[in-house]
Amino acid sequence: MQVRRLSDIEGTDRDVTAASGTWRSKRLLLASDGFGYSVSETVVYAGTETDICYANHVEAVFCISGKMILVDRDEGEEHVIEPGTLHILDDADNHTIKPVVDSTFLCIFTPALTGREDHDENGVYPLLTDEMVESK
Ligand SMILES: CC(=O)NCC[C@H](N)C(=O)O
């Protein structure tokens, strides 16, 4: 058994910020932990917009605090995401996240993230393995 706190993550290489500066994520559980999924606490910043499409992963995103507009660009719909809401990205969903205030989420990905992913120009995370990351 292990016990891991956000305070253990802060300032380590598991504490990652997007190159765009639109979010910061504390990667609590990663592929290197030997799980089939990763678990992160992610904060997205008020007034930002991030286009996302997870072509290589599925993700469940649970809102802990804040308020965010989730734009479903495939369906042309908007959803208001508030605490207690889960959005489920299971079909390479093209979407844009627009936090109204700083908003905090629990993010669970399969396959597990390595911790080195960032959104590319299409909002996709590459499918990385620890072997690929370590050889860099
Ligand atoms: C809420 C959200 O989708 N934020 C983008 C970052 C991503 N979910 C992550 O934690 O890697």
Side-chain angles (χ1 to χ4, degrees), residues 34-97:
F35 278 65
Y37 53 86
S38 57
V39 178
S40 307
E41 188 226 50
T42 301
V43 176
V44 291
Y45 296 119
T48 64
E49 291 193 18
T50 307
D51 291 337
I52 299 173
C53 174
Y54 292 124
N56 301 309
H57 301 82
V58 294
E59 184 192 17
V61 191
F62 183 73
C63 183
I64 298 169
S65 69
K67 181 176 180 179
M68 184 178 82
I69 306 301
L70 171 65
V71 182
D72 179 339
R73 290 186 277 113
D74 293 324
E75 301 298 328
E77 293 175 350
E78 286 195 3
H79 305 276
V80 179
I81 305 296
E82 290 177 307
T85 309
L86 184 74
H87 66 273
I88 301 159
L89 303 169
D90 59 353
D91 192 22
D93 307 280
N94 286 288
H95 63 290
T96 301
I97 55 173

Coordinates of all heavy atoms in Angstrom, one line a residue, residues 34-97:
G34 N 2.6 1.2 -12.8 CA 2.2 -0.1 -13.2 C 0.7 -0.3 -13.2 O 0.2 -1.5 -13.3
F35 N -0.1 0.8 -13.3 CA -1.5 0.7 -13.5 C -1.9 0.8 -14.9 O -1.1 1.3 -15.7 CB -2.2 1.8 -12.6 CG -2.3 1.4 -11.2 CD1 -1.2 1.3 -10.4 CD2 -3.6 1.3 -10.6 CE1 -1.3 1.0 -9.1 CE2 -3.7 0.9 -9.3 CZ -2.6 0.8 -8.5
G36 N -3.1 0.4 -15.2 CA -3.6 0.5 -16.6 C -4.3 1.9 -16.8 O -4.8 2.1 -17.9
Y37 N -4.2 2.7 -15.8 CA -4.8 4.0 -16.0 C -4.0 5.0 -15.2 O -3.2 4.6 -14.3 CB -6.3 4.0 -15.5 CG -6.5 3.5 -14.1 CD1 -6.4 4.3 -13.0 CD2 -6.8 2.2 -13.9 CE1 -6.6 3.8 -11.7 CE2 -7.0 1.7 -12.6 CZ -6.9 2.5 -11.5 OH -7.0 2.0 -10.2
S38 N -4.2 6.3 -15.5 CA -3.5 7.3 -14.7 C -4.5 8.2 -14.0 O -5.7 8.3 -14.5 CB -2.5 8.2 -15.6 OG -3.3 8.8 -16.6
V39 N -4.1 8.8 -12.9 CA -5.0 9.7 -12.1 C -4.3 11.0 -11.9 O -3.1 11.0 -11.4 CB -5.3 9.0 -10.8 CG1 -6.2 9.9 -9.9 CG2 -6.0 7.6 -11.0
S40 N -4.9 12.1 -12.2 CA -4.3 13.4 -12.0 C -5.3 14.3 -11.4 O -6.5 14.2 -11.6 CB -3.9 14.0 -13.4 OG -3.1 13.1 -14.1
E41 N -4.8 15.3 -10.7 CA -5.6 16.5 -10.3 C -5.1 17.6 -11.2 O -4.0 18.0 -11.2 CB -5.4 16.9 -8.8 CG -6.3 18.0 -8.4 CD -5.7 19.1 -7.6 OE1 -4.6 19.6 -8.1 OE2 -6.2 19.5 -6.6
T42 N -6.1 18.1 -12.0 CA -5.7 19.1 -13.0 C -6.5 20.4 -12.8 O -7.7 20.4 -12.6 CB -6.1 18.6 -14.4 OG1 -5.3 17.4 -14.6 CG2 -5.7 19.6 -15.5
V43 N -5.8 21.5 -12.8 CA -6.4 22.9 -12.7 C -6.4 23.5 -14.1 O -5.3 23.6 -14.7 CB -5.8 23.7 -11.6 CG1 -6.3 25.1 -11.6 CG2 -5.8 23.1 -10.3
V44 N -7.5 24.0 -14.6 CA -7.5 24.8 -15.8 C -7.9 26.2 -15.4 O -8.7 26.5 -14.6 CB -8.5 24.2 -16.8 CG1 -8.0 22.8 -17.4 CG2 -9.9 24.0 -16.3
Y45 N -7.2 27.1 -16.1 CA -7.2 28.5 -15.7 C -8.3 29.3 -16.3 O -8.6 29.2 -17.5 CB -5.8 29.1 -15.9 CG -4.8 28.5 -15.1 CD1 -3.7 27.8 -15.7 CD2 -4.8 28.4 -13.7 CE1 -2.7 27.2 -15.0 CE2 -3.8 27.8 -12.9 CZ -2.8 27.2 -13.6 OH -1.8 26.6 -12.8
A46 N -8.9 30.2 -15.5 CA -10.0 31.1 -16.0 C -9.6 31.9 -17.2 O -8.5 32.4 -17.3 CB -10.4 32.0 -14.8
G47 N -10.6 31.9 -18.1 CA -10.4 32.8 -19.3 C -9.6 32.2 -20.4 O -9.4 32.8 -21.5
T48 N -9.1 30.9 -20.2 CA -8.3 30.3 -21.3 C -9.3 29.4 -22.1 O -10.4 29.1 -21.7 CB -7.2 29.4 -20.7 OG1 -7.8 28.3 -19.9 CG2 -6.3 30.2 -19.8
E49 N -8.8 29.0 -23.3 CA -9.5 28.1 -24.2 C -8.5 27.0 -24.6 O -7.4 27.4 -25.1 CB -10.1 28.8 -25.4 CG -11.2 29.7 -25.0 CD -12.0 30.2 -26.3 OE1 -11.9 29.5 -27.3 OE2 -12.7 31.2 -26.2
T50 N -8.8 25.8 -24.5 CA -8.0 24.7 -25.0 C -8.8 23.7 -25.8 O -9.8 23.2 -25.4 CB -7.4 23.9 -23.7 OG1 -6.8 24.8 -22.8 CG2 -6.4 22.9 -24.2
D51 N -8.3 23.5 -27.1 CA -8.9 22.6 -28.0 C -8.3 21.2 -27.7 O -7.0 21.1 -27.7 CB -8.6 22.9 -29.4 CG -9.4 24.2 -29.9 OD1 -10.4 24.5 -29.2 OD2 -8.9 24.8 -30.8
I52 N -9.1 20.2 -27.6 CA -8.6 18.9 -27.2 C -9.3 17.8 -28.1 O -10.5 17.9 -28.4 CB -8.9 18.6 -25.7 CG1 -8.2 19.6 -24.8 CG2 -8.5 17.1 -25.3 CD1 -8.6 19.5 -23.3
C53 N -8.6 16.8 -28.4 CA -9.1 15.6 -29.1 C -8.3 14.4 -28.7 O -7.1 14.3 -29.2 CB -9.2 15.8 -30.6 SG -9.7 14.3 -31.5
Y54 N -8.7 13.5 -27.8 CA -7.9 12.4 -27.4 C -8.1 11.2 -28.3 O -8.9 10.4 -28.1 CB -8.2 12.0 -25.9 CG -7.7 13.1 -25.0 CD1 -8.6 13.7 -24.1 CD2 -6.4 13.6 -25.0 CE1 -8.2 14.7 -23.2 CE2 -6.0 14.6 -24.2 CZ -6.9 15.1 -23.3 OH -6.5 16.2 -22.4
A55 N -7.2 11.2 -29.4 CA -7.3 10.2 -30.4 C -6.7 8.9 -29.9 O -7.1 7.8 -30.5 CB -6.6 10.7 -31.7
N56 N -5.8 8.9 -28.9 CA -5.1 7.7 -28.5 C -5.5 7.3 -27.1 O -4.9 6.3 -26.6 CB -3.6 8.0 -28.5 CG -3.1 8.4 -29.9 OD1 -3.4 7.7 -30.8 ND2 -2.4 9.5 -29.9
H57 N -6.4 8.0 -26.4 CA -6.8 7.7 -25.0 C -8.3 7.9 -24.8 O -8.9 8.5 -25.6 CB -6.1 8.7 -24.1 CG -4.6 8.7 -24.1 ND1 -3.9 9.4 -25.1 CD2 -3.6 8.1 -23.3 CE1 -2.6 9.2 -24.9 NE2 -2.4 8.4 -23.8
V58 N -8.8 7.3 -23.8 CA -10.1 7.7 -23.3 C -9.8 8.3 -21.9 O -8.9 8.0 -21.2 CB -11.1 6.5 -23.1 CG1 -11.4 5.9 -24.5 CG2 -10.5 5.4 -22.2
E59 N -10.7 9.3 -21.6 CA -10.5 10.0 -20.3 C -11.9 10.3 -19.6 O -12.9 10.6 -20.3 CB -9.9 11.4 -20.6 CG -9.5 12.1 -19.3 CD -9.1 13.6 -19.5 OE1 -9.4 14.1 -20.6 OE2 -8.6 14.2 -18.6
A60 N -11.9 10.1 -18.3 CA -13.1 10.5 -17.5 C -12.6 11.7 -16.7 O -11.5 11.6 -16.1 CB -13.5 9.3 -16.6
V61 N -13.4 12.7 -16.7 CA -13.0 14.0 -16.1 C -14.1 14.5 -15.1 O -15.2 14.8 -15.5 CB -12.8 15.1 -17.2 CG1 -12.2 16.3 -16.7 CG2 -12.1 14.6 -18.4
F62 N -13.7 14.4 -13.9 CA -14.7 14.7 -12.8 C -14.4 16.1 -12.2 O -13.3 16.4 -11.8 CB -14.6 13.7 -11.7 CG -15.6 13.9 -10.6 CD1 -17.0 13.6 -10.8 CD2 -15.3 14.4 -9.4 CE1 -17.9 13.8 -9.8 CE2 -16.2 14.6 -8.3 CZ -17.5 14.3 -8.6
C63 N -15.4 17.0 -12.2 CA -15.2 18.4 -11.8 C -15.3 18.4 -10.2 O -16.3 18.0 -9.7 CB -16.3 19.3 -12.4 SG -16.0 21.0 -11.9
I64 N -14.3 18.9 -9.6 CA -14.2 19.0 -8.2 C -14.6 20.4 -7.7 O -15.4 20.6 -6.8 CB -12.8 18.7 -7.6 CG1 -12.4 17.2 -8.0 CG2 -12.6 19.0 -6.2 CD1 -10.9 17.0 -7.8
S65 N -14.1 21.4 -8.5 CA -14.5 22.8 -8.1 C -14.4 23.7 -9.4 O -13.8 23.3 -10.3 CB -13.6 23.3 -7.0 OG -12.3 23.5 -7.6
G66 N -15.1 24.8 -9.3 CA -15.1 25.8 -10.4 C -16.3 25.7 -11.3 O -17.4 25.2 -10.9
K67 N -16.1 26.2 -12.5 CA -17.2 26.3 -13.5 C -16.5 26.4 -14.9 O -15.6 27.2 -15.1 CB -18.1 27.4 -13.3 CG -19.3 27.5 -14.3 CD -20.2 28.7 -13.9 CE -21.4 28.7 -15.0 NZ -22.3 29.8 -14.6
M68 N -17.0 25.6 -15.8 CA -16.3 25.5 -17.1 C -17.4 25.3 -18.2 O -18.3 24.5 -18.0 CB -15.3 24.4 -17.1 CG -14.5 24.3 -18.4 SD -13.2 23.0 -18.3 CE -14.2 21.5 -18.7
I69 N -17.2 25.9 -19.3 CA -18.0 25.6 -20.5 C -17.3 24.6 -21.4 O -16.1 24.8 -21.7 CB -18.3 26.9 -21.4 CG1 -18.9 28.0 -20.5 CG2 -19.2 26.5 -22.6 CD1 -20.2 27.6 -19.8
L70 N -18.0 23.5 -21.6 CA -17.4 22.4 -22.5 C -18.1 22.5 -23.8 O -19.3 22.3 -23.9 CB -17.7 21.1 -21.8 CG -17.3 19.8 -22.6 CD1 -15.9 19.7 -22.9 CD2 -17.8 18.6 -21.8
V71 N -17.4 22.7 -24.9 CA -17.9 22.8 -26.2 C -17.7 21.5 -26.9 O -16.5 21.1 -27.1 CB -17.3 24.0 -27.0 CG1 -18.0 24.1 -28.4 CG2 -17.5 25.3 -26.2
D72 N -18.7 20.8 -27.3 CA -18.6 19.6 -28.1 C -18.6 20.0 -29.6 O -19.7 20.4 -30.1 CB -19.8 18.7 -27.8 CG -19.9 17.4 -28.6 OD1 -19.2 17.4 -29.6 OD2 -20.5 16.5 -28.1
R73 N -17.4 20.0 -30.2 CA -17.3 20.5 -31.5 C -17.8 19.5 -32.6 O -18.0 19.9 -33.7 CB -15.9 21.0 -31.8 CG -15.5 22.2 -31.0 CD -14.1 22.7 -31.4 NE -13.1 22.1 -30.7 CZ -12.1 21.3 -31.2 NH1 -12.1 21.1 -32.5 NH2 -11.2 20.7 -30.4
D74 N -18.0 18.3 -32.2 CA -18.6 17.3 -33.1 C -20.1 17.5 -33.2 O -20.7 17.4 -34.3 CB -18.3 15.9 -32.6 CG -16.8 15.5 -32.7 OD1 -16.1 16.0 -33.6 OD2 -16.3 14.8 -31.8
E75 N -20.7 17.7 -32.1 CA -22.2 17.8 -32.0 C -22.7 19.3 -32.1 O -23.9 19.5 -32.2 CB -22.7 17.2 -30.8 CG -22.4 15.7 -30.6 CD -23.0 14.8 -31.8 OE1 -24.1 15.2 -32.3 OE2 -22.3 13.8 -32.1
G76 N -21.8 20.2 -31.9 CA -22.2 21.6 -31.9 C -23.0 22.0 -30.7 O -23.9 22.8 -30.7
E77 N -22.6 21.3 -29.5 CA -23.4 21.6 -28.3 C -22.4 22.2 -27.2 O -21.2 22.0 -27.3 CB -23.9 20.2 -27.7 CG -25.0 19.6 -28.6 CD -25.4 18.2 -28.0 OE1 -24.7 17.7 -27.1 OE2 -26.4 17.7 -28.6
E78 N -23.0 22.8 -26.2 CA -22.3 23.3 -25.1 C -22.8 22.8 -23.8 O -24.1 22.6 -23.7 CB -22.3 24.9 -25.1 CG -21.5 25.5 -26.1 CD -21.2 27.0 -25.9 OE1 -21.6 27.5 -24.8 OE2 -20.6 27.6 -26.7
H79 N -21.9 22.5 -22.9 CA -22.4 21.9 -21.6 C -21.7 22.8 -20.5 O -20.6 23.2 -20.6 CB -21.9 20.5 -21.4 CG -22.4 19.6 -22.5 ND1 -23.6 19.0 -22.5 CD2 -21.7 19.2 -23.6 CE1 -23.7 18.2 -23.6 NE2 -22.6 18.3 -24.3
V80 N -22.5 23.1 -19.5 CA -21.9 23.8 -18.3 C -21.4 22.7 -17.3 O -22.2 21.8 -16.9 CB -23.0 24.7 -17.6 CG1 -22.4 25.4 -16.4 CG2 -23.5 25.7 -18.6
I81 N -20.2 22.8 -17.0 CA -19.6 21.8 -16.2 C -19.3 22.4 -14.8 O -18.6 23.4 -14.7 CB -18.2 21.3 -16.7 CG1 -18.4 20.7 -18.2 CG2 -17.6 20.2 -15.8 CD1 -19.3 19.5 -18.3
E82 N -19.9 21.8 -13.8 CA -19.8 22.3 -12.4 C -19.4 21.2 -11.5 O -19.5 20.0 -11.9 CB -21.1 23.0 -12.0 CG -21.3 24.3 -12.8 CD -22.7 25.0 -12.5 OE1 -23.7 24.3 -12.6 OE2 -22.6 26.2 -12.1
P83 N -19.1 21.5 -10.2 CA -18.7 20.4 -9.3 C -19.8 19.3 -9.3 O -21.0 19.5 -9.2 CB -18.6 21.1 -8.0 CG -18.2 22.5 -8.3 CD -19.0 22.8 -9.6
G84 N -19.2 18.0 -9.3 CA -20.1 16.9 -9.3 C -20.4 16.3 -10.7 O -21.1 15.3 -10.8
T85 N -19.9 17.0 -11.7 CA -20.2 16.6 -13.1 C -19.0 15.8 -13.7 O -17.8 16.2 -13.5 CB -20.4 17.8 -14.0 OG1 -21.4 18.7 -13.4 CG2 -20.9 17.4 -15.4
L86 N -19.3 14.7 -14.4 CA -18.3 13.9 -15.0 C -18.5 14.0 -16.5 O -19.6 13.9 -17.0 CB -18.5 12.4 -14.7 CG -17.4 11.4 -15.2 CD1 -16.1 11.5 -14.5 CD2 -17.9 10.0 -15.1
H87 N -17.4 14.4 -17.3 CA -17.5 14.3 -18.7 C -16.6 13.2 -19.2 O -15.5 13.0 -18.6 CB -17.4 15.6 -19.5 CG -16.1 16.3 -19.4 ND1 -15.8 17.2 -18.5 CD2 -15.1 16.3 -20.3 CE1 -14.6 17.7 -18.7 NE2 -14.1 17.2 -19.8
I88 N -17.1 12.5 -20.2 CA -16.5 11.2 -20.6 C -16.1 11.3 -22.0 O -17.0 11.5 -22.9 CB -17.6 10.1 -20.4 CG1 -18.0 10.0 -18.9 CG2 -17.0 8.7 -20.9 CD1 -19.4 9.3 -18.7
L89 N -14.8 11.2 -22.3 CA -14.3 11.3 -23.6 C -13.9 10.0 -24.1 O -12.8 9.5 -23.8 CB -13.1 12.3 -23.5 CG -13.4 13.7 -22.9 CD1 -12.2 14.5 -22.6 CD2 -14.4 14.5 -23.8
D90 N -14.8 9.4 -24.9 CA -14.6 8.0 -25.2 C -14.6 7.7 -26.7 O -14.7 6.6 -27.2 CB -15.6 7.1 -24.5 CG -17.0 7.5 -24.9 OD1 -17.2 8.5 -25.6 OD2 -18.0 6.7 -24.5
D91 N -14.6 8.8 -27.5 CA -14.8 8.6 -29.0 C -13.9 9.7 -29.7 O -14.5 10.3 -30.7 CB -16.2 8.7 -29.3 CG -16.5 8.3 -30.7 OD1 -15.7 7.5 -31.3 OD2 -17.6 8.7 -31.3
A92 N -12.7 9.9 -29.3 CA -11.9 11.0 -29.9 C -12.7 12.2 -30.1 O -12.6 12.8 -31.2 CB -11.3 10.4 -31.2
D93 N -13.4 12.6 -29.1 CA -14.3 13.7 -29.1 C -13.5 15.1 -29.3 O -12.7 15.4 -28.5 CB -15.1 13.8 -27.8 CG -15.8 12.5 -27.5 OD1 -16.8 12.2 -28.1 OD2 -15.2 11.7 -26.7
N94 N -13.9 15.8 -30.4 CA -13.3 17.1 -30.5 C -14.0 18.1 -29.6 O -15.3 18.3 -29.7 CB -13.5 17.6 -32.0 CG -12.6 16.9 -32.9 OD1 -11.4 17.1 -33.0 ND2 -13.1 15.9 -33.7
H95 N -13.3 18.7 -28.7 CA -14.0 19.6 -27.7 C -13.0 20.7 -27.3 O -11.8 20.6 -27.5 CB -14.5 18.8 -26.5 CG -13.4 18.2 -25.7 ND1 -12.6 17.1 -26.1 CD2 -12.9 18.4 -24.4 CE1 -11.8 16.7 -25.2 NE2 -11.9 17.5 -24.2
T96 N -13.6 21.7 -26.8 CA -12.9 22.9 -26.3 C -13.3 23.2 -24.9 O -14.5 23.1 -24.6 CB -13.2 24.2 -27.2 OG1 -12.8 23.9 -28.5 CG2 -12.4 25.4 -26.7
I97 N -12.3 23.4 -24.0 CA -12.7 23.7 -22.6 C -12.4 25.2 -22.3 O -11.4 25.7 -22.7 CB -11.9 22.8 -21.6 CG1 -10.4 22.8 -21.8 CG2 -12.4 21.3 -21.8 CD1 -9.6 22.0 -20.8

